[in-house]
Amino acid sequence: MKRRSFLKATLATGAASVAVSAGLLTPSTVLASWNKKAFDAKKVDEALNALLGSSDAADSADVKLTAPAIAENGAVTPVTVDASGMKGVESIVIVASNNPTPLVCEYKFSGAAQGFVSTRIRLGSTQQVMGVVKAGGKLYKAQQEVRVTIGGCGG
């Protein structure tokens, strides 16, 4: 390790330790907020209602969901939701219908950000994966069935 890198890391750790001891950094101020009711929901409609206020999303060609037709390993299934052609994208939500908790993730956008998300998710079994985009106060979706050969959520 180079001396300069070591000194930077030491100073950063020391500053963070002082801030924590002084009470300037607490878990509630450092961690992002999340919707517990939505992430604890056991059904897709319940999760979407708790998170977005509605589960009524219209199919849209402007929302492009890319996922493998067959996932060899459900623990690391790549999923991409592209709504970059839509104006005013507020959030993108990814839902897996048969997971124990179907809401996988939510991404919020502001300003001139483009609506594009690429991530890896866990799937317990063969199921529908849905990308829901909130744009202009309305919900749009795209969905696809993903067959899982090795489960990632307890399978």
Side-chain angles (χ1 to χ4, degrees):
M1 179 184 280
K2 293 184 179 180
R3 189 173 89 188
R4 183 172 291 164
S5 299
F6 176 75
L7 288 174
K8 283 182 184 178
T10 303
L11 288 173
T13 303
S17 299
V18 168
V20 168
S21 355
L24 299 173
L25 287 178
T26 60
S28 62
T29 60
V30 174
L31 299 175
S33 65
W34 63 291
N35 187 324
K36 182 170 175 43
K37 183 177 178 184
F39 280 97
D40 286 345
K42 301 297 181 198
K43 296 189 185 304
V44 172
D45 288 346
E46 292 173 9
L48 292 176
N49 281 325
L51 192 63
L52 302 171
S54 174
S55 61
D56 188 26
D59 288 319
S60 174
D62 292 332
V63 178
K64 294 167 185 66
L65 176 78
T66 306
I70 300 174
E72 291 182 19
N73 185 350
V76 288
T77 307
V79 175
T80 300
V81 179
D82 185 358
S84 56
M86 299 178 81
K87 300 268 189 228
V89 174
E90 301 169 32
S91 66
I92 293 179
V93 175
I94 298 176
V95 180
S97 62
N98 291 342
N99 275 1
T101 54
L103 180 57
V104 177
C105 54
E106 176 196 23
Y107 298 90
K108 293 184 179 183
F109 299 88
S110 64
Q114 288 189 350
F116 179 87
V117 171
S118 184
T119 189
R120 294 185 182 271
I121 66 173
R122 291 186 98 155
L123 298 175
S125 62
T126 298
Q127 59 191 290
Q128 290 289 323
V129 174
M130 183 176 10
V132 179
V133 176
K134 184 174 184 180
K138 296 181 181 175
L139 301 180
Y140 305 94
K141 71 178 178 179
Q143 60 187 0
Q144 175 183 333
E145 182 177 75
V146 178
R147 293 187 55 200
V148 177
T149 58
I150 300 172
C153 292

